[in-house]
Amino acid sequence: MNQGSDYVELSKIYKRKKTDQDIFQELMSFKVTEVLLVATYYDSYSIVREGRFFDKIFGEYLQLNLFSAPRITSVATYEEAMLLIEERKFDMVILMAGLDKQMPITLSQEIHRSCPSLPVLLMVNNNEDLKYFDESSALGGSIDKVFVWNGDSRVFLAMIKYVEDKLNTANDVKVGDVRIILLVEDSQRYYSRYLPMLYSIIMIQTQNILAEETSDQTHKILKMRVRPKVLLVSTYEEAVEIVDQYLDNLICVISDVKYMRDGQPDENAGVDLISYVKSKINIPTLLQSSDPENAQKAEMVGADFIDKNSDTLSMDLYNFIHQKLGFGNFVFTNSRGITLATAKNLKEFISCLKEIPAESLLYHARRNGISTWLMARGEISIAKRLRPYRIEDFESTTKLRQKILDIFEEARLERLRGRVVQFDPALVKNDRFVMRIGDGSFGGKGRGLAFLSNFIENIDFLSIVPDLNIKIPPTTIIGAGEFSVFLEKNHLLETIYEETDFEDLQHRFLSATLSDEVECKLRQYIECMEAPLAVRSSGLFEDSLLQPFAGVFSTYVLPNNDPNPEVRFSQLASAVKLVYASIFSPTARAYFEAVHYKIDEEKMAVIIQQLVGQKAHNRYYPHVSGVAQSFNYYPFSYMKPEDGFAVIGVGLGKYVVGGERAWRFCPRYPGLELSSLGDQIKDSQQYFYAVDMEKENVDFLKDGEDAFLSKLDISEAEEDGNLKHCASVYDINNDRLVNDFSIRGPRVLNFADILKYDMVPLPRTLDTLLRYFREAMGAPVEIEFALDLDPGDRGKPTLWLLQIKPLIRLEKHMEVDFSEVEQKRVIIKSEKGMGNGRYDHIKDVVFMNVEKFDRTKTGEMAKEVAMMNKKMEKEGLEYVLIGPGRWGTRDPSTGIPVFWSQISQARVIVEMGLPDFPLDASLGSHFFHNVTSLNIGYFSVLAKNKNEFVDLDFLKKQQVIEDTRYFKHIRLEQPLTILMDGKQQKAVVMWNEEN
């Protein structure tokens, strides 16, 4: 894949895998929803009213849990029928034969002329009328089928299903590989009995299966469609055509003995048909006849036999279907027919399969009994996987048994891939789906992870990025509904919103209890998961398109390695509770106020994620972690904003998202260096974060989110052997960077092996992912990731996607006119400006006394700014904030480490570079993400760029409102004119004269 040149459009590669549910949705595309019933007034009265026809047919639909009974329109005359057919669309017509037997024939012929494809069925009241309509219902006649009304309303259901199956079978076999029952019967009286019985058996059996296996109502409705189809034909030629066309899908043939063949009645037509079928496929067959002597013929061809005159005809048919077609329990027998085990459902079937003797397994495998039973239960995927195998393919019964069990497990896991599934302790280590505990929303981060899981499973990344695995870590999410349950159960709702002592509130949360369900499942989780964990917040508002709340709530990292599972459970439960409590932290409250959201509208889901990394000595951390954005606010050289950028570092991602010194690059052009060799050495990563795997007796309240974290010198990562592909060494003698760790000299974390020498295709992969995610989400995106350089699947490294969130989304871009700019009135000018629009209301400016700047005192500066911001908030004032270095950094040596809530009244934030304090833009940090998402003006002014400046001399001459140790707050007489055009990256602030 060449950089940027071989990009394949998302629409061409996003091939959503068809689950069984997807297949179900494509089945039964034709549904009978409108039926025209043509009956005389007398028949209408005797059948529709006296027989309570409508009540009965609707009752049949309800009893069988069919969710859409057709609407039946009844008319009495020829003229009314034709008029309605012209006005409305009907799916089928049922004609009732009254005293006037010619009318149905004439009407059917007229309907056939005007609507050739409209099915027309005839219902007669007694057997004596059947001969009269033989010609009209013959092949090529105007009546499709003739049925006998015997007082059983199920015959109407059978007529409707007969039409649906006839029209849907070809598609449903192709799409869903559905099974087919072939019924060959030329006696209208008998197929009018057989069809209602067959459909009732099929529907009731399907309902029993659904009741056992799923509570998903939509899935139930859809799975009804995968039931076997019943095809009714009346001649030998029609039957053979069905057998030849659908041979692989036939599960049963039920045939009369005598019917038409070559235009003549044939005494052995059914026997010959069964022989023909048996010569091609081994499936259950049934011969039925009014002559008991035909039982011998059935035995000769290996078919079961039913006497049509039997008083137990219905029960005989029922038993045949259940015993031979897999429509009941699966009964494991030996070759002598002795029952060994019985399975009522799929779970019991798998259990029995592990235990039954080899003889029984071979017996059922030879007869395709397993595949037949699975298809009868709608288990399409498993049945299709089993079908290609033959007993001869296996060296032993043991291998045959294991292969069947493997296919069951593969199909089960594949069905879950990319989905959100209910919590299962056995699956906590699986990385192919997201598991949920409890009800309610997943919150912003949780939705992002669920989307990532689904996205990864529906794109063949193996063909796009063959040298890198792309996954999400094993993830379980506690739904936001549990947060509400937690507050109610522990009687916290009455006080938490007014509580001002956050430490006391944390104590109360820790002493509270989670619901019984969540506690039980977290204990099960801990028993199965031994790796370190990240417990992350996922608020409803977090990472939303408009208010991202990035980094506002808490994340806790746990080593999860105490030998006592009760200790590990306690730590996990405490982390969950403290994530809940973080909604009410001072930082979060200030953020809610700043964005004008009500804190009581926020609900918290919690993400429990296996931490990506490797253990080295007593610490645990990933080789590389980072963030990447699909839009670069500060491109240079030939880069474009839409080329995006990435920031990476060694160790836990806390280092990168905190805005500390890390390596920045453009995924599209990874070899393009952003800074000089001297700057690379000076600004290289000096330390990293890791999980302390030996730390015990932590105090979450005292140590907070860092309770189990260690801040380590980068030399310790070298001791662990983890700088080999991440750093270069500065060769002082030759003034260059080399990949030779035997040389003494500064280590520069420039990831040269990965970015320059393509040891791992990280840049290309990030470039591709950013473009796909940008297209999929409809907005610029940011992803957090970790790179594991150790061989994983297929012996390749693994890129773990940890989070995805949208970047700023401006609903409208305002065109900004800079023609009014007068250079003499410009006090701030930036060529790296973000934000869009014009402000004409701001008079206040807070700026740094740069001569007092001390990079060791940036923490004190942050406190001063926070105090000034509070005063502005009380007075309802907005202001321009100017200071050296990076605002919002977590590294105090690179700028002023404020939280966004501490400068929330600032509408324009200016980062200045000083001659001895160069500016490193705040890309990739949570602070930066929040500010840009709120469309706050965000200007970068580099000291070495003469086209950019801040006129401090002008500002010092203005009215001083407050002068602190490090900052001045000044106010101008006239509001400033502030112009911002993020697309052009131009920004100007001008003072104005009095009018």
Side-chain angles (χ1 to χ4, degrees):
M1 184 174 69
N2 296 329
Q3 203 68 38
S5 60
D6 293 336
Y7 177 76
V8 181
E9 291 181 10
L10 179 60
S11 59
K12 294 182 179 178
I13 64 163
Y14 186 79
K15 304 298 184 184
R16 192 165 65 89
K17 294 177 181 176
K18 284 187 178 180
T19 63
D20 280 350
Q21 184 155 327
D22 296 322
I23 293 171
F24 299 155
Q25 288 177 322
E26 296 181 26
L27 303 179
M28 294 289 289
S29 56
F30 172 79
K31 295 288 291 181
V32 172
T33 58
E34 295 282 349
V35 178
L36 178 61
L37 174 65
V38 185
T40 65
Y41 290 113
Y42 176 79
D43 289 328
S44 179
Y45 175 79
S46 61
I47 294 177
V48 177
R49 289 174 177 79
E50 184 185 8
R52 293 183 292 117
F53 165 73
F54 289 107
D55 290 345
K56 285 186 177 181
I57 194 167
F58 277 101
E60 288 297 331
Y61 268 76
L62 291 173
Q63 182 180 342
L64 296 173
N65 277 341
L66 300 176
F67 295 87
S68 55
R71 181 171 67 169
I72 301 172
T73 304
S74 178
V75 296
T77 67
Y78 178 106
E79 292 75 16
E80 287 178 299
M82 291 310 301
L83 186 62
L84 270 179
I85 288 173
E86 291 176 7
E87 293 178 351
R88 279 169 51 187
K89 181 182 181 300
F90 289 96
D91 301 305
M92 65 181 291
V93 179
I94 298 176
L95 307 179
M96 296 293 297
L99 296 176
D100 184 357
K101 296 181 181 57
Q102 185 58 39
M103 191 274 278
I105 295 175
T106 306
L107 179 55
S108 66
Q109 292 170 344
E110 182 61 28
I111 293 172
H112 192 67
R113 279 192 292 270
S114 59
C115 302
S117 61
L118 181 60
V120 178
L121 274 59
L122 180 70
M123 176 73 73
V124 300
N125 283 311
N126 55 71
N127 296 329
E128 287 71 24
D129 291 339
L130 289 172
K131 291 183 180 179
Y132 187 87
F133 298 103
D134 278 350
E135 187 176 335
S136 298
S137 61
L139 204 59
S142 56
I143 295 174
D144 293 273
K145 277 293 175 190
V146 178
F147 286 79
V148 179
W149 167 250
N150 52 19
D152 185 353
S153 59
R154 291 185 303 169
V155 72
F156 289 93
L157 173 70
M159 293 167 76
I160 291 167
K161 293 302 169 188
Y162 160 77
V163 170
E164 288 180 344
D165 283 3
K166 185 177 179 182
L167 295 177
N168 285 317
T169 294
N171 173 74
D172 290 3
V173 167
K174 180 180 178 182
V175 172
D177 203 21
V178 298
R179 309 287 89 181
I180 293 171
I181 296 173
L182 174 60
L183 174 61
V184 190
E185 178 59 74
D186 62 350
S187 167
Q188 297 96 331
R189 185 163 64 94
Y190 278 104
Y191 68 61
S192 295
R193 290 186 66 188
Y194 285 137
L195 277 183
M197 284 190 289
L198 277 173
Y199 279 118
S200 291
I201 293 169
I202 290 170
M203 299 298 182
I204 291 171
Q205 174 63 17
T206 305
Q207 281 299 313
N208 291 338
I209 294 169
L210 297 182
E212 293 170 4
E213 299 189 357
T214 180
S215 59
D216 183 338
Q217 294 302 318
T218 303
H219 189 76
K220 283 186 176 183
I221 297 170
L222 295 173
K223 202 166 183 180
M224 288 293 294
R225 301 178 183 177
V226 82
R227 63 164 177 79
K229 300 288 183 284
V230 180
L231 295 184
L232 169 65
V233 296
S234 301
T235 69
Y236 181 86
E237 289 75 22
E238 289 177 299
V240 169
E241 183 181 351
I242 296 294
V243 171
D244 291 344
Q245 185 176 356
Y246 299 118
L247 182 66
D248 292 337
N249 295 78
L250 279 177
I251 58 171
C252 171
V253 175
I254 300 173
S255 176
D256 195 1
V257 175
K258 177 183 176 181
Y259 44 83
M260 302 298 285
R261 180 179 186 180
D262 296 328
Q264 300 293 326
D266 189 325
E267 297 284 347
N268 288 301
V271 178
D272 291 346
L273 176 67
I274 298 300
S275 297
Y276 180 74
V277 171
K278 293 285 188 179
S279 70
K280 292 179 174 290
I281 188 172
N282 184 20
I283 58 172
T285 53
L286 175 67
L287 277 173
Q288 28 91 29
S289 171
S290 302
D291 184 356
E293 293 185 4
N294 282 323
Q296 294 179 351
K297 295 181 179 179
E299 187 176 353
M300 289 173 56
V301 293
D304 286 74
F305 180 78
I306 290 179
D307 185 349
K308 286 184 177 181
N309 296 319
S310 169
D311 293 334
T312 59
L313 177 62
S314 298
M315 184 55 66
D316 293 342
L317 183 60
Y318 177 89
N319 289 335
F320 172 79
I321 295 291
H322 277 71
Q323 292 171 10
K324 298 299 178 69
L325 270 65
F327 268 56
N329 301 333
F330 192 97
V331 180
F332 288 95
T333 66
N334 59 21
S335 58
R336 297 177 301 281
I338 298 173
T339 298
L340 303 176
T342 301
K344 297 176 184 177
N345 52 45
L346 208 58
K347 186 176 181 180
E348 291 183 7
F349 180 87
I350 295 171
S351 179
C352 293
L353 197 63
K354 296 175 181 178
E355 305 294 335
I356 60 168
E359 181 203 0
S360 177
L361 175 62
L362 289 171
Y363 175 79
H364 292 290
R366 285 196 180 98
R367 288 158 177 75
N368 263 341
I370 295 173
S371 179
T372 299
W373 188 75
L374 290 169
M375 283 306 306
R377 301 182 72 84
E379 298 294 341
I380 303 170
S381 299
I382 304 176
K384 288 178 77 172
R385 286 167 188 249
L386 286 172
R387 278 176 59 191
Y389 292 102
R390 296 289 179 265
I391 293 174
E392 297 76 24
D393 298 335
F394 301 94
E395 297 176 4
S396 66
T397 311
T398 301
K399 291 187 176 180
L400 170 63
R401 189 194 308 268
Q402 190 56 51
K403 185 62 181 180
I404 296 171
L405 291 172
D406 288 345
I407 287 175
F408 271 87
E409 184 64 12
E410 288 169 12
R412 184 177 79 96
L413 291 179
E414 186 160 308
R415 187 180 299 168
L416 300 178
R417 288 173 184 171
R419 293 176 52 197
V420 174
V421 302
Q422 292 297 328
F423 177 78
D424 181 345
L427 301 177
V428 296
K429 295 180 182 178
N430 200 295
D431 55 36
R432 305 304 295 269
F433 44 79
V434 172
M435 285 199 299
R436 75 174 302 147
I437 295 174
D439 297 323
S441 169
F442 280 179
K445 287 181 188 174
R447 280 193 301 272
L449 276 165
F451 166 74
L452 284 176
S453 175
N454 183 267
F455 195 88
I456 290 169
E457 291 300 330
N458 286 301
I459 288 184
D460 182 14
F461 279 114
L462 184 60
S463 63
I464 302 170
V465 191
D467 297 323
L468 196 60
N469 300 308
I470 299 175
K471 298 184 177 185
I472 69 164
T475 300
T476 297
I477 302 177
I478 303 175
E482 172 60 23
F483 175 73
S484 300
V485 172
F486 176 80
L487 296 183
E488 293 172 8
K489 177 182 179 181
N490 296 284
H491 309 292
L492 294 167
L493 285 169
E494 297 83 359
T495 56
I496 53 171
Y497 294 109
E498 288 74 34
E499 177 66 68
T500 55
D501 187 337
F502 181 54
E503 187 174 336
D504 180 63
L505 187 143
Q506 285 181 302
H507 274 290
R508 293 173 59 194
F509 271 59
L510 281 176
S511 61
T513 56
L514 299 167
S515 72
D516 293 343
E517 178 198 359
V518 172
E519 281 205 358
C520 174
K521 290 180 177 176
L522 290 185
R523 289 181 191 277
Q524 293 175 325
Y525 181 93
I526 284 297
E527 288 175 5
C528 300
M529 174 64 76
E530 302 92 8
L533 301 173
V535 183
R536 308 178 189 275
S537 64
S538 184
L540 298 186
F541 300 144
E542 207 167 359
D543 297 350
S544 70
L545 280 171
L546 300 177
Q547 306 292 354
F549 283 73
V552 174
F553 306 129
S554 294
T555 293
Y556 289 85
V557 174
L558 309 175
N560 190 36
N561 65 340
D562 194 285
N564 185 350
E566 193 59 32
V567 172
R568 303 199 330 262
F569 163 75
S570 177
Q571 291 173 352
L572 177 56
S574 295
V576 170
K577 296 171 192 176
L578 289 174
V579 169
Y580 286 160
S582 66
I583 286 184
F584 307 98
S585 70
T587 301
R589 287 181 185 272
Y591 195 102
F592 277 104
E593 291 176 10
V595 297
H596 308 295
Y597 273 42
K598 291 184 177 181
I599 194 169
D600 61 349
E601 293 178 352
E602 179 65 297
K603 300 288 183 290
M604 181 65 74
V606 179
I607 299 167
I608 305 172
Q609 200 170 53
Q610 181 177 323
L611 197 65
V612 175
Q614 304 77 31
K615 186 179 179 185
H617 298 104
N618 66 332
R619 45 189 174 260
Y620 185 97
Y621 59 98
H623 294 126
V624 180
S625 59
V627 298
Q629 292 185 0
S630 64
F631 191 90
N632 184 0
Y633 292 97
Y634 298 130
F636 78 103
S637 184
Y638 44 78
M639 293 190 304
K640 298 176 182 177
E642 53 271 21
D643 290 336
F645 77 94
V647 186
I648 57 176
V650 168
L652 294 174
K654 172 183 170 69
Y655 182 90
V656 175
V657 298
E660 304 186 41
R661 292 174 178 173
W663 186 263
R664 288 168 171 73
F665 67 94
C666 175
R668 188 78 54 89
Y669 309 108
L672 188 61
E673 294 186 347
L674 307 180
S675 53
S676 65
L677 178 57
D679 287 341
Q680 288 181 38
I681 297 170
K682 182 177 62 176
D683 295 332
S684 179
Q685 182 176 352
Q686 299 298 315
Y687 60 91
F688 67 101
Y689 292 103
V691 183
D692 187 336
M693 299 297 285
E694 295 182 351
K695 196 168 185 180
E696 297 179 359
N697 302 319
V698 300
D699 186 340
F700 279 120
L701 293 180
K702 179 182 176 183
D703 300 322
E705 297 176 64
D706 296 338
F708 281 108
L709 296 185
S710 295
K711 184 177 179 180
L712 304 167
D713 189 272
I714 203 68
S715 62
E716 299 200 48
E718 185 174 349
E719 287 180 18
D720 297 336
N722 288 335
L723 290 193
K724 182 179 179 182
H725 300 297
C726 300
S728 299
V729 180
Y730 177 58
D731 181 356
I732 299 174
N733 295 326
N734 296 296
D735 190 31
R736 63 175 185 170
L737 294 175
V738 297
N739 190 20
D740 185 353
F741 284 84
S742 66
I743 297 175
R744 294 185 63 183
R747 273 45 176 163
V748 178
L749 272 72
N750 61 355
F751 303 89
D753 280 0
I754 297 172
L755 302 183
K756 285 188 176 181
Y757 306 120
D758 206 28
M759 185 197 83
V760 176
L762 178 65
R764 287 180 289 153
T765 303
L766 290 177
D767 181 50
T768 300
L769 288 176
L770 288 172
R771 286 199 274 176
Y772 286 153
F773 290 143
R774 164 70 179 86
E775 186 177 346
M777 295 191 77
V781 296
E782 176 182 285
I783 55 175
E784 294 183 25
F785 59 87
L787 178 64
D788 184 354
L789 297 174
D790 290 341
D793 293 351
R794 303 175 294 110
K796 305 295 183 182
T798 304
L799 179 65
W800 297 95
L801 302 180
L802 310 179
Q803 193 175 325
I804 187 170
K805 55 190 173 188
L807 287 170
I808 180 173
R809 185 180 76 181
L810 297 178
E811 298 299 331
K812 293 182 180 179
H813 180 80
M814 181 188 298
E815 295 299 327
V816 180
D817 184 7
F818 287 88
S819 62
E820 65 179 284
V821 174
E822 295 181 31
Q823 294 301 322
K824 65 178 183 179
R825 294 195 289 121
V826 175
I827 57 175
I828 303 174
K829 184 179 180 183
S830 173
E831 294 183 344
K832 295 291 183 185
M834 290 181 294
N836 174 241
R838 175 190 181 113
Y839 295 144
D840 289 306
H841 68 285
I842 297 174
K843 291 184 179 182
D844 295 85
V845 180
V846 174
F847 65 96
M848 168 71 70
N849 289 311
V850 292
E851 57 274 5
K852 296 181 181 179
F853 178 73
D854 182 345
R855 69 174 67 202
T856 66
K857 302 291 178 60
T858 53
E860 296 177 23
M861 298 172 192
K863 293 177 181 177
E864 278 195 8
V865 174
M867 294 297 294
M868 299 175 92
N869 188 76
K870 277 189 176 180
K871 294 176 183 177
M872 296 281 197
E873 189 176 359
K874 286 181 180 178
E875 298 177 30
L877 298 174
E878 295 182 328
Y879 61 97
V880 176
L881 177 63
I882 306 169
R886 272 197 258 166
W887 287 102
T889 177
R890 295 297 94 204
D891 181 356
S893 66
T894 62
I896 302 175
V898 291
F899 292 105
W900 182 81
S901 57
Q902 294 176 309
I903 56 171
S904 58
Q905 292 300 111
R907 293 305 298 166
V908 172
I909 298 171
V910 182
E911 295 184 334
M912 289 176 58
L914 302 179
D916 60 342
F917 193 68
L919 177 64
D920 189 9
S922 302
L923 299 178
S925 69
H926 283 151
F927 174 88
F928 173 85
H929 189 83
N930 285 325
V931 169
T932 55
S933 297
L934 293 166
N935 195 31
I936 289 169
Y938 198 75
F939 308 161
S940 170
V941 178
L942 300 176
K944 59 187 178 183
N945 188 340
K946 295 182 180 179
N947 293 323
E948 300 180 332
F949 59 86
V950 176
D951 191 344
L952 293 174
D953 292 334
F954 173 85
L955 295 175
K956 291 175 183 177
K957 296 174 184 178
Q958 307 307 309
Q959 177 191 0
V960 177
I961 304 299
E962 184 178 7
D963 193 355
T964 66
R965 182 176 180 183
Y966 298 107
F967 289 94
K968 285 186 185 293
H969 170 198
I970 61 105
R971 182 171 294 151
L972 287 81
E973 292 184 3
Q974 298 297 319
L976 297 165
T977 296
I978 301 171
L979 304 175
M980 308 176 292
D981 189 333
K983 281 190 174 179
Q984 299 183 59
Q985 295 189 290
K986 290 172 61 177
V988 168
V989 179
M990 293 190 301
W991 60 270
N992 290 298
E993 299 174 332
E994 291 188 42
N995 295 330

